[in-house]
Amino acid sequence: MAVGIFDSGLGGLTVLDAVEKRLPDVPFVYLADSANAPYGVRTSDDIYALTCAAVTRLFDAGCNLVILACNTASAAALRRMQESWVPPDKRVLGVFVPLIEAMTERQWGDNSPPREVDVKHVALFATPATVASRAFQRELAFRAIGVDVEAQACGGVVDAIEDGDMILAEALVRSHVDALKRKMPDPDAAILGCTHYPLMQQEFQDALGGDVRVFSQASLVAESLADYLLRHPDMLGTGASDFLTTGDPRRVSDRATQFLRRQITFQSA
Ligand code: DGL
């Protein structure tokens, strides 16, 4: 029994890398639904069906706990899955809440009423489906008051990263940051609300300027998972780590190896 990490493609590797470093003794099974990526341009029903299928594959691989290392799936499918689909002996967690807890300076799992926080103007960069879901604003409203959020749907960035076209990805990041700044000229914080975007973190920071605090999820999710496993040791996995993809294993392995700068070998899911 390992802990499952799911993403539509390669972006969740940014989360996997951080959780492996934070929890070196925990085995992880990573599943990339590369055949169906990107999710960010799909309808929520479609994202729900694909995410349930992928999580089922991870349950079948022996995972009792699955992290959706995909904001799009967390935003469009997680609540519905938790309400009516996840079996009682399994857990599925998303990546939104740890980020919002950190941004609103809360302890992990603190459910006290919303309060004023330091950040006032937040730029959210995410996929079109995540922006359309308004899940970030909803989760934020449970925890903070008086925060102005401007969301920018970053079409094309995930496709460029999955294709390994980093020059296009960089140009798109600059144009999405420019578009955001036309709506909110002086954000004090920016959220990289897609697990692919930390692969372009420097480009976001350069385009936003050094004064903007950029929150990215990987290390926050790792801390929150460590805390969760401390409170739920029964979910702590044993067994072997593995990398699974619904796409072409050789192509996905090459890209993953390039991104993480270590050999990664995917098998067919
Ligand atoms: N990395 C994902 C996310 O965090 C997936 C993006 C996509 O497939 O469009 O949203």
Side-chain angles (χ1 to χ4, degrees):
M1 174 173 89
V3 174
I5 306 281
F6 165 71
D7 185 39
S8 59
L10 298 169
L13 291 173
T14 58
V15 173
L16 177 82
D17 196 40
V19 294
E20 277 186 338
K21 284 185 179 133
R22 180 66 181 79
L23 298 160
D25 297 328
V26 176
F28 292 99
V29 177
Y30 185 91
L31 172 60
D33 190 11
S34 321
N36 296 303
Y39 279 18
V41 288
R42 294 177 177 275
T43 64
S44 47
D45 279 350
D46 209 6
I47 295 166
Y48 175 77
L50 289 170
T51 305
C52 289
V55 171
T56 301
R57 177 69 186 85
L58 285 166
F59 289 160
D60 292 347
C63 303
N64 284 344
L65 168 63
V66 174
I67 310 294
L68 301 185
C70 175
N71 291 270
T72 308
S74 301
L78 180 59
R79 180 173 279 238
R80 190 168 158 197
M81 290 169 80
Q82 286 173 332
E83 281 170 1
S84 57
W85 183 83
V86 180
D89 57 332
K90 311 278 189 201
R91 288 286 176 277
V92 180
L93 304 175
V95 284
F96 254 60
V97 170
L99 179 80
I100 293 173
E101 286 177 337
M103 206 186 83
T104 55
E105 298 145 38
R106 281 174 179 255
Q107 298 297 315
W108 307 128
D110 169 359
N111 286 323
S112 60
R115 54 179 181 253
E116 290 232 17
V117 292
D118 274 354
V119 286
K120 298 288 177 224
H121 304 285
V122 175
L124 169 67
F125 297 96
T127 66
T130 299
V131 169
S133 76
R134 295 189 61 81
F136 179 84
Q137 288 90 330
R138 188 185 63 224
E139 293 294 338
L140 183 66
F142 290 137
R143 295 167 179 85
I145 44 180
V147 184
D148 178 21
V149 178
E150 193 62 66
Q152 177 65 31
C154 297
V157 177
V158 169
D159 307 65
I161 292 173
E162 289 286 320
D163 289 343
D165 189 344
M166 303 319 260
I167 292 173
L168 175 60
E170 185 176 338
L172 288 168
V173 165
R174 289 193 178 280
S175 96
H176 289 306
V177 170
D178 284 349
L180 183 285
K181 281 186 154 182
R182 285 196 286 278
K183 298 179 281 183
M184 179 184 272
D186 291 308
D188 39 39
I191 304 291
L192 303 190
C194 168
T195 51
H196 282 70
Y197 300 169
L199 294 162
M200 308 299 295
Q201 179 144 353
Q202 194 57 52
E203 287 74 9
F204 273 102
Q205 185 75 69
D206 290 349
L208 283 159
D211 292 347
V212 181
R213 180 159 175 215
V214 176
F215 286 84
S216 87
Q217 284 160 321
S219 54
L220 301 173
V221 172
E223 279 314 315
S224 146
L225 177 61
D227 176 72
Y228 181 86
L229 290 174
L230 211 59
R231 289 183 286 119
H232 301 88
D234 51 312
M235 288 287 167
L236 195 64
T238 54
S241 296
D242 208 357
F243 290 90
L244 304 171
T245 178
T246 56
D248 171 6
R250 188 186 295 185
R251 185 171 179 276
V252 177
S253 302
D254 285 351
R255 293 266 188 272
T257 300
Q258 188 185 332
F259 287 137
L260 287 193
R261 299 197 180 91
R262 64 184 165 94
Q263 182 62 46
I264 306 283
T265 306
F266 276 83
Q267 332 266 356
S268 271

